[in-house]
Every structure is written in C-alpha cells, then in structure tokens.
Amino acid sequence: MKLYDLGPSGNCYKVRLFAALAGIDLEIVPVDFLGGEHKRPPLTDLNPWGELPILVDGDLTLRDSQAILVYLAGAHGGAAWLPVEPALQAQVAQWLSTAANEIQHGPASARLVDKFGYAIDKPGTLRVSKRILGLLEAHLARQDWLAVGRPTIADCAVYPYVALAPEGGIDLSPYPAVGRWMDRIAALPGYAPPPA
C-alpha cells in the first residue's frame, strides 16, 4: 500500500498514526506540496480534489483521511479498531465526523493561520476550538477513550489536531482530561509522535 503523504499535515499523520498502532505496513510517498505536485497529474488522476492524503492499495484508491482510516481498520486493523456492531460503529463514526468538522475548523484551522500563514478568520477558529475542546474535556472526564471504551480509529482521527493545537496558539492546560487522553494515546504500543 502506498500513502501519498505530507509530513506536517495532521490529516496525513492520522493515517500514519493508525498504521503504526495497528502494525500496518505503508509505503510513504512524500509529495512536494510547495511545488504543487498534489495539484497536477499524476496525483490529480488519483485524487481530482488535489488534496492529501491519498491511499493506493492495489486497484483501490482513496482520498480523505477519515475514509482511509475506515478502510485500513476494516481491511487490516480488525474489529478492535472499528467495531462491526452498528451501534458501536456509529459511536466511532460520530467522532470521525467531529474530526472532519469541529476539529478541522477549530484547532486545525488555527494552526493553518499561525504556522502556515493561511488567511483564515483566526478569532473564529479560536471560538470553534474553545467549544469543541470544552465538549471533548467533558466527554473525556467521564471515560478514557472517545468511543466504545477502548482505542479506536475515533481516537486516531481526533488526536492529531488536538495534539498540534498549541501550534495554533491554543493553550491545552485548561483541559486536563484531554491531556490525560493524549498521554494514554502516546503510551500505546507502536505510537508514532506528531510531526515536529
């Protein structure tokens, strides 16, 4: 399997993190992002959206980090990472949606402003971050993991941009339960740290 990858990307890191935790072998193919390699063929032949990551497994090509997590868990990671029971699967799916929405528009976007100079409404990203981190704190104050009482791809989807939130000027010290959850993830066998 090949993962077309950008090292600093939290979305690419989600996939690398899960692969490391689940012992899935990926061939990492670095992409020249600044040179626009992802915006022209042959990469746009794989993903017309012109975004990363892209996973190629034989004849299957997938875009979007959440979709890639679902595929890798289902095909290679086993039910421990993505339950087969509909109610438990739905618990995981709601966190994948949170990663793609509130986390992306909050901590991830704040990081884009501070670290990469994107012209995004920084105060708006901080408002979204405060709300989602508060919800995450309340949730994790009651349980150790995001879904089903154990590590799943839900944790792999949400963790990266929360761990990288300080790069967007977000102080995580008001969220001790979030901090303990991040420590639990970092203590898992095979853990790969976020991009420096």
Side-chain angles (χ1 to χ4, degrees):
M1 283 185 292
K2 290 184 179 181
L3 179 70
Y4 292 85
D5 180 74
L6 176 64
S9 163
N11 285 318
C12 292
Y13 170 56
K14 292 175 191 183
V15 178
R16 295 192 313 269
L17 172 63
F18 175 63
L21 292 174
I24 299 169
D25 188 31
L26 294 176
E27 178 186 344
I28 304 298
V29 181
V31 174
D32 181 5
F33 186 82
L34 294 178
E37 184 181 4
H38 61 300
K39 297 290 188 184
R40 62 180 182 266
L43 288 188
T44 53
D45 296 333
L46 297 174
N47 180 8
W49 272 251
E51 298 171 347
L52 299 170
I54 304 167
L55 181 80
V56 177
D57 186 11
D59 293 335
L60 176 69
T61 300
L62 290 172
R63 63 172 181 84
D64 184 79
S65 57
Q66 274 68 244
I68 294 169
L69 289 176
V70 168
Y71 171 71
L72 290 177
H76 303 283
W81 292 100
L82 179 62
V84 294
E85 302 90 340
L88 300 181
Q89 206 169 67
Q91 288 181 36
V92 171
Q94 66 188 359
W95 287 104
L96 298 181
S97 185
T98 300
N101 289 292
E102 291 88 351
I103 299 293
Q104 187 67 42
H105 297 298
S109 291
R111 179 176 180 252
L112 287 175
V113 174
D114 284 11
K115 189 170 177 75
F116 301 105
Y118 277 55
I120 300 172
D121 172 24
K122 178 68 185 283
T125 69
L126 295 178
R127 284 191 298 276
V128 173
S129 297
K130 184 175 181 179
R131 179 176 183 273
I132 190 55
L133 288 170
L135 291 168
L136 199 56
E137 176 70 14
H139 183 75
L140 290 166
R142 297 187 309 271
Q143 54 194 49
D144 287 345
W145 304 101
L146 294 181
V148 307
R150 64 177 185 262
T152 65
I153 58 170
D155 301 283
C156 294
V158 172
Y159 173 81
Y161 284 119
V162 173
L164 295 168
E167 293 185 355
I170 297 168
D171 179 10
L172 294 177
S173 63
Y175 310 103
V178 171
R180 291 190 297 274
W181 167 71
M182 291 193 302
D183 290 343
R184 285 189 290 276
I185 291 173
L188 292 172
Y191 172 79

